[in-house]
mmCIF file of all heavy atoms in Angstrom:
data_model
loop_
_atom_site.group_PDB
_atom_site.id
_atom_site.type_symbol
_atom_site.label_atom_id
_atom_site.label_comp_id
_atom_site.label_asym_id
_atom_site.label_seq_id
_atom_site.Cartn_x
_atom_site.Cartn_y
_atom_site.Cartn_z
ATOM 1 N N VAL A 73 13.505 0.051 -10.775
ATOM 2 C CA VAL A 73 14.571 -0.460 -9.908
ATOM 3 C C VAL A 73 14.498 0.207 -8.534
ATOM 4 O O VAL A 73 14.549 -0.469 -7.492
ATOM 5 C CB VAL A 73 15.961 -0.211 -10.546
ATOM 6 C CG1 VAL A 73 17.081 -0.574 -9.556
ATOM 7 C CG2 VAL A 73 16.116 -1.032 -11.825
ATOM 8 N N GLY A 74 14.354 1.535 -8.510
ATOM 9 C CA GLY A 74 14.259 2.242 -7.242
ATOM 10 C C GLY A 74 13.022 1.837 -6.447
ATOM 11 O O GLY A 74 13.087 1.584 -5.241
ATOM 12 N N GLY A 75 11.881 1.765 -7.141
ATOM 13 C CA GLY A 75 10.649 1.366 -6.472
ATOM 14 C C GLY A 75 10.697 -0.065 -5.980
ATOM 15 O O GLY A 75 10.208 -0.377 -4.890
ATOM 16 N N GLY A 76 11.320 -0.952 -6.764
ATOM 17 C CA GLY A 76 11.448 -2.352 -6.358
ATOM 18 C C GLY A 76 12.293 -2.502 -5.105
ATOM 19 O O GLY A 76 11.975 -3.303 -4.222
ATOM 20 N N LEU A 77 13.358 -1.708 -5.007
ATOM 21 C CA LEU A 77 14.206 -1.751 -3.806
ATOM 22 C C LEU A 77 13.443 -1.234 -2.592
ATOM 23 O O LEU A 77 13.587 -1.759 -1.477
ATOM 24 C CB LEU A 77 15.477 -0.917 -4.033
ATOM 25 C CG LEU A 77 16.453 -1.468 -5.077
ATOM 26 C CD1 LEU A 77 17.608 -0.486 -5.297
ATOM 27 C CD2 LEU A 77 16.984 -2.832 -4.659
ATOM 28 N N LEU A 78 12.628 -0.190 -2.796
ATOM 29 C CA LEU A 78 11.803 0.325 -1.713
ATOM 30 C C LEU A 78 10.817 -0.729 -1.233
ATOM 31 O O LEU A 78 10.630 -0.933 -0.029
ATOM 32 C CB LEU A 78 11.044 1.569 -2.186
ATOM 33 C CG LEU A 78 10.030 2.188 -1.201
ATOM 34 C CD1 LEU A 78 10.741 2.650 0.068
ATOM 35 C CD2 LEU A 78 9.287 3.344 -1.851
ATOM 36 N N VAL A 79 10.204 -1.432 -2.175
ATOM 37 C CA VAL A 79 9.252 -2.491 -1.839
ATOM 38 C C VAL A 79 9.972 -3.616 -1.091
ATOM 39 O O VAL A 79 9.413 -4.208 -0.148
ATOM 40 C CB VAL A 79 8.569 -3.031 -3.115
ATOM 41 C CG1 VAL A 79 7.744 -4.276 -2.808
ATOM 42 C CG2 VAL A 79 7.678 -1.949 -3.713
ATOM 43 N N MET A 80 11.202 -3.915 -1.469
ATOM 44 C CA MET A 80 11.974 -4.950 -0.771
ATOM 45 C C MET A 80 12.230 -4.554 0.692
ATOM 46 O O MET A 80 12.157 -5.402 1.591
ATOM 47 C CB MET A 80 13.309 -5.188 -1.484
ATOM 48 C CG MET A 80 14.196 -6.225 -0.802
ATOM 49 S SD MET A 80 13.422 -7.871 -0.667
ATOM 50 C CE MET A 80 13.658 -8.488 -2.358
ATOM 51 N N LEU A 81 12.522 -3.276 0.942
ATOM 52 C CA LEU A 81 12.719 -2.816 2.314
ATOM 53 C C LEU A 81 11.455 -3.012 3.147
ATOM 54 O O LEU A 81 11.513 -3.432 4.314
ATOM 55 C CB LEU A 81 13.111 -1.332 2.323
ATOM 56 C CG LEU A 81 14.509 -0.972 1.802
ATOM 57 C CD1 LEU A 81 14.688 0.534 1.785
ATOM 58 C CD2 LEU A 81 15.585 -1.631 2.665
ATOM 59 N N ILE A 82 10.305 -2.748 2.525
ATOM 60 C CA ILE A 82 9.034 -2.962 3.224
ATOM 61 C C ILE A 82 8.827 -4.439 3.498
ATOM 62 O O ILE A 82 8.380 -4.833 4.580
ATOM 63 C CB ILE A 82 7.870 -2.396 2.375
ATOM 64 C CG1 ILE A 82 8.020 -0.883 2.203
ATOM 65 C CG2 ILE A 82 6.518 -2.725 3.018
ATOM 66 C CD1 ILE A 82 7.047 -0.271 1.229
ATOM 67 N N ALA A 83 9.161 -5.284 2.510
ATOM 68 C CA ALA A 83 9.007 -6.735 2.675
ATOM 69 C C ALA A 83 9.876 -7.251 3.820
ATOM 70 O O ALA A 83 9.439 -8.082 4.637
ATOM 71 C CB ALA A 83 9.377 -7.446 1.379
ATOM 72 N N ILE A 84 11.109 -6.751 3.902
ATOM 73 C CA ILE A 84 12.015 -7.176 4.971
ATOM 74 C C ILE A 84 11.466 -6.762 6.335
ATOM 75 O O ILE A 84 11.511 -7.534 7.304
ATOM 76 C CB ILE A 84 13.422 -6.586 4.747
ATOM 77 C CG1 ILE A 84 14.055 -7.216 3.495
ATOM 78 C CG2 ILE A 84 14.311 -6.815 5.962
ATOM 79 C CD1 ILE A 84 15.361 -6.567 3.076
ATOM 80 N N ALA A 85 10.912 -5.546 6.404
ATOM 81 C CA ALA A 85 10.326 -5.077 7.666
ATOM 82 C C ALA A 85 9.152 -5.964 8.071
ATOM 83 O O ALA A 85 8.993 -6.305 9.245
ATOM 84 C CB ALA A 85 9.876 -3.619 7.519
ATOM 85 N N LEU A 86 8.324 -6.342 7.096
ATOM 86 C CA LEU A 86 7.190 -7.205 7.387
ATOM 87 C C LEU A 86 7.647 -8.566 7.893
ATOM 88 O O LEU A 86 7.089 -9.123 8.836
ATOM 89 C CB LEU A 86 6.326 -7.380 6.142
ATOM 90 C CG LEU A 86 5.421 -6.207 5.744
ATOM 91 C CD1 LEU A 86 4.769 -6.478 4.398
ATOM 92 C CD2 LEU A 86 4.366 -5.952 6.802
ATOM 93 N N MET A 87 8.665 -9.131 7.239
ATOM 94 C CA MET A 87 9.159 -10.456 7.639
ATOM 95 C C MET A 87 9.776 -10.435 9.025
ATOM 96 O O MET A 87 9.812 -11.445 9.712
ATOM 97 C CB MET A 87 10.151 -10.984 6.605
ATOM 98 C CG MET A 87 9.482 -11.460 5.309
ATOM 99 S SD MET A 87 10.613 -12.276 4.154
ATOM 100 C CE MET A 87 11.475 -10.870 3.452
ATOM 101 N N ASN A 88 10.271 -9.268 9.433
ATOM 102 C CA ASN A 88 10.847 -9.130 10.763
ATOM 103 C C ASN A 88 9.838 -8.617 11.775
ATOM 104 O O ASN A 88 10.190 -8.300 12.928
ATOM 105 C CB ASN A 88 12.053 -8.198 10.733
ATOM 106 C CG ASN A 88 13.249 -8.824 10.038
ATOM 107 O OD1 ASN A 88 13.522 -10.008 10.221
ATOM 108 N ND2 ASN A 88 13.945 -8.049 9.233
ATOM 109 N N ALA A 89 8.557 -8.502 11.342
ATOM 110 C CA ALA A 89 7.471 -8.004 12.198
ATOM 111 C C ALA A 89 7.788 -6.638 12.778
ATOM 112 O O ALA A 89 7.495 -6.338 13.931
ATOM 113 C CB ALA A 89 7.175 -8.999 13.318
ATOM 114 N N LYS A 90 8.401 -5.781 11.935
ATOM 115 C CA LYS A 90 8.717 -4.414 12.355
ATOM 116 C C LYS A 90 7.804 -3.430 11.647
ATOM 117 O O LYS A 90 7.249 -3.746 10.596
ATOM 118 C CB LYS A 90 10.191 -4.094 12.032
ATOM 119 C CG LYS A 90 11.190 -4.889 12.853
ATOM 120 C CD LYS A 90 12.601 -4.482 12.489
ATOM 121 C CE LYS A 90 13.627 -5.266 13.335
ATOM 122 N NZ LYS A 90 15.008 -4.901 12.980
ATOM 123 N N PRO A 91 7.648 -2.213 12.202
ATOM 124 C CA PRO A 91 6.813 -1.208 11.543
ATOM 125 C C PRO A 91 7.357 -0.856 10.168
ATOM 126 O O PRO A 91 8.565 -0.873 9.952
ATOM 127 C CB PRO A 91 6.905 0.009 12.486
ATOM 128 C CG PRO A 91 7.320 -0.558 13.805
ATOM 129 C CD PRO A 91 8.186 -1.750 13.491
ATOM 130 N N ASN A 92 6.462 -0.565 9.250
ATOM 131 C CA ASN A 92 6.858 -0.188 7.893
ATOM 132 C C ASN A 92 7.701 1.084 7.955
ATOM 133 O O ASN A 92 7.229 2.118 8.426
ATOM 134 C CB ASN A 92 5.596 0.070 7.043
ATOM 135 C CG ASN A 92 5.941 0.277 5.578
ATOM 136 O OD1 ASN A 92 7.005 0.767 5.221
ATOM 137 N ND2 ASN A 92 5.007 -0.103 4.734
ATOM 138 N N PRO A 93 8.961 1.028 7.480
ATOM 139 C CA PRO A 93 9.854 2.198 7.604
ATOM 140 C C PRO A 93 9.461 3.363 6.713
ATOM 141 O O PRO A 93 9.959 4.465 6.876
ATOM 142 C CB PRO A 93 11.215 1.622 7.191
ATOM 143 C CG PRO A 93 10.888 0.505 6.270
ATOM 144 C CD PRO A 93 9.617 -0.103 6.837
ATOM 145 N N THR A 94 8.556 3.143 5.747
ATOM 146 C CA THR A 94 8.192 4.208 4.810
ATOM 147 C C THR A 94 6.879 4.887 5.200
ATOM 148 O O THR A 94 6.415 5.765 4.491
ATOM 149 C CB THR A 94 8.049 3.657 3.382
ATOM 150 O OG1 THR A 94 6.885 2.824 3.312
ATOM 151 C CG2 THR A 94 9.259 2.862 2.984
#
Side-chain angles (χ1 to χ4, degrees):
V73 172
L77 293 175
L78 175 62
V79 171
M80 178 60 78
L81 289 176
I82 297 172
I84 292 172
L86 284 173
M87 286 187 283
N88 289 320
K90 293 181 179 179
N92 188 330
T94 70

